[in-house]
Amino acid sequence: MGSTSRAGSVGSLGIVGGGVIGLAVARRAASDGWDVRVHRTEQRGASWVAGGMLAPHSEGWPGEEAQLAIGLESLKLWHSGFLAGLPGDIVTARRSLVVAVDRADVADLRTVADWLSAQGHPVTPTTTARDFEPLLAQGIRHGFIAETELAVDNRALVAALETACVDAGVRWAPPVTDLAEVDADVRVIANGIDAPTLWPGLAVRPVKGEVLRLRWRKGCMPLPQSVIRARVHGRQVYLVPRGDGVVVGATQYEHGRDTTVVVTGVRDLLDDACTVLPALGEYELAECAAGLRPMTPDGLPLVGRLDERTLVATGHGRNGFLLAPWTAERIARELAVFGGAQ
Ligand code: GLY
């Protein structure tokens, strides 16, 4: 048992990982009375690079029914209180517009829309997409609107969660290379792609994604109001509004832990972004970065119990921000069992 839990707490909890998942779990556990320490590194991980879309509909694809179900459950939590008490301007868009450029792209979009309807979660189709977003390129007509999807400023959210954690009594601790270094009654492994270094055998692998940040300049056309996701001649691109510009993402490839931003990745993203929203050509190219998504073989996150005092919360793939509230609730449920047993 850990030796450091504060008097009156349910017990001590050591969370390894200070990204959106670790922080969401920490805030929730602290509010349930746990004495929480978050072991975190100085390095910026996937949460820093992320687009911040909360988009279970527009990320969906037939066969991914389980992902859709937990994504929708988590989106409800975003709408029903996860943001309560978090400081700052966090939400940057309140719907997604999903559009298609050529006929094959339109067919892909219909596949998704039909599947969502069959799942009981219809989206709103349109053949006049420019009525919803006048900045779209001429000729882009077909799309659907996901009315309840959100986007958040990933960096503002992480900063807000850190503040909320501190306010709730969470303490910061140095990174660890071995779970034995975590002096706590219960441990949560929430360090993304590094989870297997603490618990060998966890099936999480890095999937690289390059993301650009474009900044609005005086004289440019205004920012889009919705998240715009597009299929562009078979590739996918997303444009996520921010207070000062647009986040453009994302490439996806398996190159181990390589986070070099490469020319073809940036070129493809810019080509596709400007095909969809030509006005972006006048924006400043402010940042190019790459993150490593923690992906699992079946695309579902690893959230649950590993042994009598260890929990895991990783493997969120493309949906770490979306699934943060759901993960925090799941871990809170597991912790209630531990807490009750102490
Ligand atoms: N959330 C989208 C991505 O990982 O690119």
Side-chain angles (χ1 to χ4, degrees):
M1 282 287 166
S3 56
T4 56
S5 63
R6 280 198 274 234
S9 68
V10 179
S12 58
L13 179 68
I15 298 172
V16 184
V20 66
I21 296 296
L23 293 171
V25 169
R27 180 178 70 147
R28 179 70 167 82
S31 78
D32 285 344
W34 287 84
D35 178 14
V36 183
R37 282 190 199 196
V38 175
H39 294 263
R40 58 180 190 170
T41 68
E42 295 291 310
Q43 282 159 7
R44 288 167 168 168
S47 296
W48 179 254
V49 178
M53 282 171 303
L54 313 177
H57 301 93
S58 48
E59 279 277 340
W61 190 253
E64 297 180 356
E65 288 75 20
Q67 285 95 321
L68 177 68
I70 61 173
L72 289 170
E73 217 180 293
S74 204
L75 183 60
K76 257 192 211 152
L77 296 170
W78 276 97
H79 280 287
S80 68
F82 184 74
L83 286 162
L86 292 178
D89 284 338
I90 294 171
V91 176
T92 63
R94 293 192 175 274
R95 71 175 180 194
S96 304
L97 174 60
V98 186
V99 296
V101 169
D102 65 26
R103 287 173 69 177
D105 298 327
V106 173
D108 268 2
L109 219 79
R110 289 216 176 105
T111 302
V112 177
D114 291 348
W115 172 70
L116 288 167
S117 288
Q119 299 301 308
H121 305 291
V123 283
T124 312
T126 178
T127 52
T128 56
R130 294 182 82 220
D131 289 350
F132 295 91
E133 181 47 75
L135 294 171
L136 283 175
Q138 283 189 18
I140 296 183
R141 294 190 297 119
H142 293 272
F144 67 73
I145 296 129
E147 311 275 0
T148 57
E149 291 190 350
L150 300 171
V152 293
D153 181 327
N154 55 318
R155 295 173 187 176
L157 178 76
V158 166
L161 282 173
E162 285 172 345
T163 301
C165 280
V166 170
D167 291 349
V170 173
R171 289 175 285 170
W172 309 122
V176 296
T177 53
D178 192 308
L179 274 185
E181 296 168 48
V182 180
D183 181 21
D185 299 328
V186 183
R187 300 93 53 103
V188 183
I189 299 172
N191 57 342
I193 59 163
D194 292 321
T197 64
L198 297 178
W199 196 275
L202 283 178
V204 180
R205 67 184 197 283
V207 174
K208 177 178 173 181
E210 285 147 331
V211 175
L212 314 178
R213 283 174 161 76
L214 311 185
R215 192 172 296 136
W216 183 86
R217 295 186 307 138
K218 208 165 167 218
C220 287
M221 297 291 271
L223 292 164
Q225 295 303 302
S226 318
V227 173
I228 300 172
R229 301 179 65 113
R231 285 179 153 73
V232 185
H233 310 308
R235 284 200 299 247
Q236 295 196 46
V237 69
Y238 53 77
L239 311 171
V240 191
R242 287 290 188 271
D244 64 347
V246 175
V247 176
V248 179
T251 56
Q252 182 157 319
Y253 22 46
E254 312 228 3
H255 285 177
R257 287 172 169 260
D258 170 36
T259 52
T260 312
V261 178
V262 299
V263 172
T264 49
V266 175
R267 183 199 59 197
D268 290 351
L269 289 172
L270 288 177
D271 273 353
D272 294 347
C274 291
T275 297
V276 176
L277 230 61
L280 292 179
E282 297 298 323
Y283 281 47
E284 175 192 348
L285 177 54
E287 187 185 311
C288 305
L292 298 172
R293 309 170 179 94
M295 208 70 89
T296 60
D298 63 3
L300 289 167
L302 302 173
V303 179
R305 187 190 287 237
L306 294 171
D307 72 10
E308 68 281 357
R309 57 185 287 247
T310 312
L311 303 174
V312 63
T314 184
H316 295 78
R318 295 174 58 91
N319 289 306
F321 278 76
L322 170 63
L323 297 178
W326 175 85
T327 303
E329 290 306 313
R330 287 290 285 254
I331 294 291
R333 253 185 265 161
E334 289 289 343
L335 287 174
V337 178
F338 282 112
Q342 281 172 44

